[in-house]
Amino acid sequence: MQEVIAQTLLPKLLAAISKLRAAMLERRNARLVTSGRNTQVTGTIDKRTAGGSIVIGDDSVIAGFLVTERDTSRIQIGNNVFIAGGTTVDCVAEIAIEDDVQISYQCILMDSDNHSLKDRIRRLDLARWRADAHDWSTCKTVPIRICRGAWLGAGTIVLKGVTIGEGAIVGAGSVVTTDVPAWTIVAGNPARVIRPLTEDERAPVERA
């Protein structure tokens, strides 16, 4: 009898806990980000200084991990954007994600090397991290832009200084180190153009 009760109640209890946790996260994140109408932020927000800026537009779902490292860090996310769970957007300078972008699971977007190429500087980084005094001036940092309608497949890594063009598709597991032309499919490590998208694949959606 107890086993039957457990089998009946446990799924409902777990579902209720999950729903409560999501609601608590949304309330917490609402204090840390500026978001538009009908946007859900159920992922984790980590503003490592008080001045970091995260702005999200309307009708978006953000389930990933958003990080601002400095007071001047800025994450700008447009309308109708999906960022899946397990994805990390780590911003030192600026990461801009335009409207209608889809970013799948386990992706990484980082606009900085985070460490110096010089060993004599890099070996001091751990102590500085522990003291909350990392010297970002020693790290090469260049903004990232993901243009309207782009789609990043699961496990994509986008490195500093990259612009992914309008409507471009990045294949799963790719490492993007240079700009991606609009309306192309790229894949690989490093990512290279596979082919341009056809006219049919580029046709705009008919909105109601």
Side-chain angles (χ1 to χ4, degrees):
M1 182 65 177
Q2 289 179 339
E3 184 177 342
V4 173
I5 293 173
Q7 290 176 347
T8 303
L9 294 180
L10 187 58
K12 294 181 179 179
L13 179 60
L14 291 174
I17 291 172
S18 178
K19 187 175 181 180
L20 177 61
R21 179 179 178 275
M24 291 173 65
L25 276 172
E26 283 206 69
R27 285 197 295 272
R28 172 187 176 273
N29 291 340
R31 298 194 301 270
L32 299 176
V33 305
T34 301
S35 60
R37 301 184 311 275
N38 199 37
T39 283
Q40 295 177 302
V41 182
T42 58
T44 301
I45 305 300
D46 186 0
K47 294 178 71 173
R48 295 180 177 173
T49 64
S53 171
I54 301 174
V55 178
I56 306 170
D58 300 335
D59 300 312
S60 294
V61 174
I62 311 299
F65 181 33
L66 306 184
V67 184
T68 55
E69 300 281 4
R70 301 189 298 179
D71 282 340
T72 54
S73 301
R74 177 175 175 82
I75 297 175
Q76 179 77 40
I77 299 173
N79 303 320
N80 192 41
V81 171
F82 174 65
I83 300 179
T87 284
T88 297
V89 178
D90 186 1
C91 179
V92 176
E94 181 177 8
I95 297 178
I97 300 170
E98 296 182 356
D99 297 349
D100 304 320
V101 167
Q102 296 186 4
I103 301 178
S104 190
Y105 299 93
Q106 305 296 328
C107 296
I108 299 173
L109 284 70
M110 50 191 300
D111 66 351
S112 176
D113 288 339
N114 286 358
H115 301 280
S116 172
L117 297 180
K118 298 176 181 178
D119 176 69
R120 65 181 181 275
I121 295 174
R122 193 169 60 248
R123 68 177 59 197
L124 301 174
D125 282 351
L126 181 57
R128 287 171 172 163
W129 276 106
R130 286 176 167 170
D132 196 25
H134 185 62
D135 184 1
W136 288 104
S137 69
T138 66
C139 313
K140 188 170 184 180
T141 300
V142 189
I144 288 172
R145 178 168 294 275
I146 313 297
C147 295
R148 191 198 69 78
W151 170 24
L152 277 57
T156 292
I157 298 174
V158 180
L159 299 182
K160 66 181 185 300
V162 165
T163 293
I164 295 181
E166 181 178 3
I169 297 173
V170 180
S174 297
V175 179
V176 188
T177 60
T178 59
D179 290 351
V180 174
W183 305 109
T184 60
I185 300 174
V186 303
N189 180 9
R192 292 185 171 87
V193 174
I194 304 301
R195 67 172 176 85
L197 290 161
T198 67
E199 288 300 319
D200 180 59
E201 291 166 334
R202 293 173 53 167
V205 66
E206 295 182 7
R207 298 187 186 273

